[in-house]
Amino acid sequence: MDKWWLGTMLALLPLGPVHASTTLLSVCSAPPAVSEPNGQRALYASRGEEIWLTWSEHGDLPLGCHGLALPVPAESIRWVGPAERPADVDLPRELTLQGDMAASDVNVSEVIWHLAEPPADSAPAQDVPLQHPQSPDEDASAPRSAWIWSPEAWQSAADSLWALAEREHLDTLYLTLPVSADGELETPSAVSEFVSEASRRGIGIWPVIGDPRDVLSESLPALLNRVAAYRDYNRSVPPQARLDGLQLDIEPYLLAGFALGGDHWRERYIATIREAHATLDGEMPLDLVVPVWWGTHPAWGKRWLDALPDGKLSITVMNYRTDRDALRRGARPFLAWGSEHGVPIRMALESGPLPDETRLTFSSQAASAEGDKGQLWLFEQLSPPLLVLLDEPHAGLPGTPFVQVRESTFAGANLTFDGDQARLNAVANALTHEWQQQWPSFDGIAVHGLDAVYW
């Protein structure tokens, strides 16, 4: 039986008697009918099927679920999430949970599996002189673009947009141009007037659309309706009022459980892009906004790049770093691939506010030394395997314990220039000069977060 098909699975282990201090941790193929669950969350498993995690002190194991009885009260559970350990990684001695670890509402953004000794916790990046060709800030010249998300910016504050574009030397704006539920561009006459003025000023306008759920097969028709709306608008207006292209910012990795099904989501993403590209029918360029880690991830990398459609395609990489060497490392696989295949590649930097995140590091060795007690437990007998974070160390659970050994901060300053436009421009100009010399595919810099800086 397929290990990921949960519809007919029952308990993997005998649950034994359930008493007041025992919590049932369940994995279900449908929303379980649990009265007064203490906690529940939905996520996607390896083939894109939706599953539900539930923990409760009330009732029996729900029908269509499998699970474990944990000898802890339900209120001691702070967080439950999939153990997204790569298949070729042995059980680590340490792992780190990164995110907002506030006592009332834990939100884990990343689980870091340490292969050997964990890396030193990150401090805010510091620029140091590096032996790479650089140019004075004012000498670098390359396309510069930015996202402005609120439709009100172009609908009622166009003069402010033009001033921003002049101040930041922008030649392209990525904007929200709303499409109605029936697939029609809203206020097309206002869009035409605005785009015509942008054209007169030498500024290209690209609508940006996308949602993580757009890779789901049931979401594809609605996405293609939006794509067709922009294509049909361009067909109906004179050249000066036409949109320069369409940008897709789908970000499927924000789906809960995404890492459990890397191959599945890669193929769904590729299929979605191919459909959108075909809908444009060569009449508009298509730009893809992608995370920097897709350039080197084993499930992505060239496996998705080589599968992209040909013609009128470009890529914008969310290379959200502030350290110049980190920016170079993130850019290299994309710029190399783009240069080989003739695909323009733009590098995006972040200028908006990003919070610091807490890193809690846990050790299985330390847990063994403390009598197999831990705040974090790994249950690999479940499908998918789960991590459970408790409020304090507990013993006697049917899994692998990890005890907390460190707490540190991952600074948002590693990822964003946080409104320091002088520093952002200095870094961008130096790397622009460098990338222009080295990579024919380099197509300029995009800046995210300017609306937070100036609005």
Side-chain angles (χ1 to χ4, degrees):
M1 179 167 52
D2 190 327
K3 67 174 288 190
W4 297 107
W5 178 249
L6 307 177
T8 60
M9 292 187 71
L10 298 178
L12 295 178
L13 297 175
L15 292 178
V18 177
H19 50 81
S21 62
T22 297
T23 297
L24 287 178
L25 176 62
S26 307
V27 183
C28 305
S29 58
V34 178
S35 61
E36 300 179 13
N38 296 92
Q40 182 171 298
R41 64 175 298 201
L43 53 85
Y44 293 93
S46 64
R47 296 182 178 176
E49 68 273 30
E50 199 165 11
I51 61 176
W52 285 261
L53 311 180
T54 299
W55 50 103
S56 177
E57 295 181 16
H58 307 283
D60 300 319
L61 188 70
L63 184 65
C65 304
H66 72 288
L68 292 171
L70 307 181
V72 296
E75 59 266 22
S76 69
I77 295 178
R78 300 183 63 205
W79 173 81
V80 177
E84 300 158 353
R85 175 159 61 101
D88 57 347
V89 175
D90 293 332
L91 185 68
R93 288 180 293 173
E94 293 192 354
L95 62 84
T96 296
L97 302 183
Q98 178 174 314
D100 180 359
M101 312 304 288
S104 60
D105 186 19
V106 171
N107 180 17
V108 175
S109 63
E110 185 173 4
V111 178
I112 304 168
W113 301 86
H114 301 305
L115 303 184
E117 291 300 320
D121 290 307
S122 180
Q126 299 293 325
D127 272 334
V128 296
L130 298 168
Q131 299 304 311
H132 295 279
Q134 296 185 13
S135 65
D137 295 350
E138 64 272 13
D139 290 348
S141 176
R144 182 73 68 92
S145 54
W147 290 270
I148 304 296
W149 292 104
S150 173
E152 287 75 18
W154 66 266
Q155 291 170 341
S156 58
D159 288 343
S160 296
L161 272 186
W162 309 139
L164 171 64
E166 183 176 0
R167 182 187 308 117
E168 295 295 329
H169 306 288
L170 303 175
D171 60 14
T172 300
L173 292 173
Y174 307 125
L175 303 176
T176 301
L177 305 183
V179 173
S180 66
D182 57 358
E184 297 290 337
L185 182 65
E186 296 182 2
T187 62
S189 59
V191 171
S192 176
E193 181 180 351
F194 172 79
V195 175
S196 296
E197 178 60 20
S199 297
R200 188 185 70 80
R201 295 170 178 269
I203 299 171
I205 302 299
W206 293 59
V208 53
I209 59 173
D211 180 272
R213 294 178 62 86
D214 284 339
V215 294
L216 303 178
S217 56
E218 60 266 31
S219 299
L220 183 60
L223 172 67
L224 297 183
N225 278 343
R226 299 198 300 276
V227 172
Y230 300 116
R231 179 203 63 199
D232 294 345
Y233 163 81
N234 263 18
R235 288 174 174 174
S236 69
V237 295
Q240 71 272 16
R242 289 175 189 162
L243 304 166
D244 274 31
L246 173 64
Q247 188 178 72
L248 288 186
D249 182 15
I250 292 180
E251 305 186 41
Y253 49 88
L254 296 178
L255 294 171
F258 169 86
L260 295 173
D263 290 342
H264 171 81
W265 296 119
R266 182 190 66 246
E267 295 308 310
R268 284 300 314 149
Y269 181 81
I270 292 168
T272 301
I273 296 308
R274 286 186 168 276
E275 291 278 4
H277 188 266
T279 299
L280 291 176
D281 198 24
E283 297 180 38
M284 293 175 68
L286 181 65
D287 185 65
L288 310 178
V289 182
V290 303
V292 65
W293 55 268
W294 276 10
T296 55
H297 193 280
W300 292 80
K302 292 194 69 176
R303 297 176 68 180
W304 78 276
L305 287 168
D306 288 344
L308 293 175
D310 294 327
K312 291 200 172 182
L313 186 78
S314 60
I315 296 174
T316 297
V317 181
M318 292 182 285
N319 198 359
Y320 295 163
R321 306 288 186 270
T322 54
D323 174 74
R324 297 188 191 193
D325 270 356
L327 286 162
R328 292 184 181 98
R329 288 192 299 271
R332 184 178 182 86
F334 293 97
L335 292 173
W337 182 87
S339 295
E340 180 182 353
H341 292 83
V343 175
I345 307 292
R346 192 165 289 213
M347 288 295 141
L349 307 179
E350 177 63 68
S351 191
L354 290 176
D356 294 344
E357 291 191 323
T358 299
R359 283 181 167 177
L360 302 181
T361 298
F362 301 84
S363 166
S364 60
Q365 288 181 327
S368 297
E370 295 188 15
D372 288 329
K373 295 177 66 176
Q375 298 110 306
L376 184 69
W377 285 80
L378 171 63
F379 301 108
E380 293 198 290
Q381 64 270 59
L382 295 174
S383 179
L386 296 180
L387 288 166
V388 175
L389 178 65
L390 304 172
D391 59 355
E392 61 183 11
H394 287 264
L397 280 68
T400 303
F402 292 77
V403 71
Q404 184 178 329
V405 292
R406 258 190 328 279
E407 178 175 340
S408 58
T409 298
F410 181 81
N414 287 297
L415 307 178
T416 178
F417 291 91
D418 198 15
D420 187 347
Q421 294 308 109
R423 181 168 174 247
L424 183 151
N425 288 327
V427 171
N429 289 337
L431 291 177
T432 289
H433 181 77
E434 192 174 308
W435 287 331
Q436 283 177 323
Q437 291 182 329
Q438 297 175 359
W439 303 108
S441 62
F442 176 64
D443 192 43
I445 298 290
V447 182
H448 186 269
L450 285 184
D451 41 4
V453 175
Y454 291 109
W455 264 271

